[in-house]
Structure formats: C-alpha cells, structure tokens
Amino acid sequence: MPVAMWDFKHCDPKRCSGVKLARCDMLKTLKLTQRFRGIVASPIGEKVVSPADRKVVELYGAGVVDCSWARVDEVPFSKIKGPTDRLLPYLVATNPVNYGKPWKLNCAEALAAIFYITGYPEHGEALLGKFKWGHAFKKVNGGLLSRYSKCKDAAEVLEVQNEYLKKLEEDERIKKEESLAQQDGDSEDDDLLFKNHNRDNAFTAFADDTDDSEEDSDEEDSDEDSEGEENSGDEEKNDDSIDLITDNLGNTYIRNH
C-alpha cells in the first residue's frame, strides 16, 4: 500500500521517524504541491479515522505531515489538504521524544495507527518494526486500537474515545480522593504520635530529670572524692560527718550530723 509524507524539515533528520522510513523505502516523500488520495493524518481533518476508511486505505494508502508539534502553526495545511484528511483519536505516544504524552504521535506512530484502525495491523507493525521502541506502541495502546478497529464509523470511534477519557477522568478523581484520604490518615497518625504536647512535655521533663540527676550525681561523687583526698588527714580531727541522701526522683541532698 502507498505510504506518503510531506516533510517540512522541522526536526533532526537523525531522529525523525518519517525520514528513517523514507531511507528504508517504506514511504514516499511528497512535495508541497503534490496531492495524495489516501487517508492523511492531519490536524485540520473534520472526522477521525475509522474502519469506514478501510477501502480508501486499501486503494490509496496512508499519509502524514512531518512537522514539529511546537511549530504546527507554521504548516500551510491548506496547500496540502487532501480529500480524505483525518484526525487521530486518543492514543498515547511511545516514541523517545514524547513518551507517555497523549496525542503527540510521531510520523511512524500516526501511520501505524491508521493501519491498525482500518484493519491492516500487519502494515502498522511493519512500520513500527523499524524502531527499537516500536513494539511499545501496541503494548500501550493495544486495547484502544482493538476497540477502535471494531467500530463501524467515525461516530463510534469518538464514542469509544470519549468513554475512555471519561473513565480516565474518573480513575484520576478516585486516585486523588484516595491520596487525600491517605494524607489525612497519616496526619491523624502524626497527631497521635507526635503532636501530643502534654505527653511530650511529660516525657521531656522525665528525661531531663533523669539526665540532671545523673550529671549531679557524677559531680557530687567527684566532689566527694576530691574532698576525701584533700581532707583525709583531717578526718581524725573532724568530729562532724556528712551523709549524702538521694530521693526517689534522683535528687541528691547533703545532711550534716
């Protein structure tokens, strides 16, 4: 089947999927004034591609406009408008430049999508087979592509697309609610574990008392030893005695007899 491309040379030819397919003789590069009768993936299309386009693809093939998404406004689509321009339904890019981004398909992915949806998956796989990342496109979009290919016309394709987008939106809403609930739960746990200031203060006071008593005890022991050494010769002359008393809280007192 014919495969064509209008190349506006917006991207690096070493990374351009359309240029690579041209080097592999898998598509023909067209001039601006050349017409193409096959299905053309174009942002100015009025309908999405669907299985209703199968006969056109069979007879005339598929085409694409190779331009940068950042410079799409510069493309004179009016000059390359064909009789069967088509929009592409929701699909996710898997190429290295726009991986994971919806709608941002490159040339090879756009052409493959046309062939998948119109019932010629082998042609789409042949195009993507030229790229190391090519297998990921069907892996990520396989479910949608299969559903699109079973539709009757563009209206049904749009219905499938909108149902899928609604499901994505609902899943995202539920995910956010669960995330917020989890955050609230974590916050409550934090309050129980760390925000009870009364308990924290009680623990801190207890810890401080313990530390102080240990430090005071060590200092008193040191002073006692020092005084013992200095006054050892006077013990026999001094009738007074000193007792050290430690209460239950660890506080030390001196009692003179």
Side-chain angles (χ1 to χ4, degrees):
M1 294 180 184
V3 180
M5 174 183 74
W6 286 272
D7 185 6
F8 285 87
K9 304 185 185 302
H10 286 177
C11 53
D12 183 353
K14 294 181 179 179
R15 303 177 63 184
C16 178
S17 62
V19 171
K20 182 172 182 177
L21 291 176
R23 289 200 304 264
C24 297
D25 294 326
M26 300 191 74
L27 65 74
K28 180 181 179 181
T29 302
L30 302 177
K31 296 179 181 180
L32 182 60
T33 56
Q34 284 184 275
R35 304 285 288 179
F36 183 72
R37 298 177 66 186
I39 297 295
V40 179
S42 169
I44 64 170
E46 296 181 357
K47 297 194 302 183
V48 294
V49 63
S50 73
D53 297 313
R54 178 182 174 88
K55 192 64 177 179
V56 177
V57 173
E58 180 182 352
L59 293 175
Y60 307 112
V64 68
V65 177
D66 183 16
C67 63
S68 169
W69 283 102
R71 300 171 60 184
V72 69
D73 293 337
E74 301 176 13
V75 179
F77 285 104
S78 59
K79 295 184 179 180
I80 57 176
K81 184 177 180 180
T84 50
D85 291 336
R86 294 287 186 269
L87 298 168
L88 291 175
Y90 178 90
L91 292 166
V92 177
T94 60
N95 64 78
V97 177
N98 290 310
Y99 185 88
K101 296 180 180 180
W103 312 104
K104 299 290 187 179
L105 308 187
N106 64 12
C107 293
E109 290 171 321
L111 290 167
I114 293 174
F115 285 121
Y116 278 122
I117 293 171
T118 56
Y120 297 103
E122 65 278 6
H123 291 275
E125 291 171 3
L127 294 175
L128 293 174
K130 295 298 180 179
F131 305 91
K132 294 180 179 179
W133 49 263
H135 67 284
F137 185 73
K138 186 177 181 180
K139 184 176 181 179
V140 171
N141 297 288
L144 269 178
L145 290 170
S146 177
R147 293 181 64 186
Y148 291 151
S149 67
K150 295 175 182 177
C151 294
K152 179 178 66 175
D153 52 25
E156 288 190 6
V157 170
L158 281 179
E159 184 178 348
V160 169
Q161 170 192 275
N162 293 336
E163 288 178 358
Y164 184 79
L165 291 176
K166 185 177 180 180
K167 180 67 167 53
L168 285 182
E169 183 178 351
E170 179 66 14
D171 290 345
E172 184 64 21
R173 183 186 64 80
I174 293 174
K175 183 178 179 181
K176 287 182 178 179
E177 290 179 354
E178 292 177 346
S179 178
L180 290 174
Q182 180 64 36
Q183 291 177 8
D184 292 340
D186 292 342
S187 178
E188 291 177 1
D189 291 342
D190 289 345
D191 289 342
L192 291 174
L193 292 175
F194 305 111
K195 303 302 181 183
N196 189 335
H197 298 295
N198 291 330
R199 185 175 62 184
D200 288 347
N201 291 336
F203 177 80
T204 302
F206 177 80
D208 290 344
D209 287 345
T210 303
D211 292 340
D212 289 343
S213 64
E214 292 177 353
E215 292 174 1
D216 292 344
S217 177
D218 291 341
E219 290 176 359
E220 293 292 346
D221 290 344
S222 176
D223 292 341
E224 180 184 4
D225 292 342
S226 176
E227 291 176 0
E229 292 176 358
E230 293 176 359
N231 299 325
S232 59
D234 300 332
E235 287 181 357
E236 295 178 357
K237 299 179 181 179
N238 191 353
D239 294 333
D240 295 333
S241 61
I242 297 175
D243 291 337
L244 298 179
I245 300 174
T246 303
D247 60 16
N248 292 333
L249 295 177
N251 297 312
T252 302
Y253 304 92
I254 298 175
R255 183 174 65 184
N256 294 321
H257 290 292

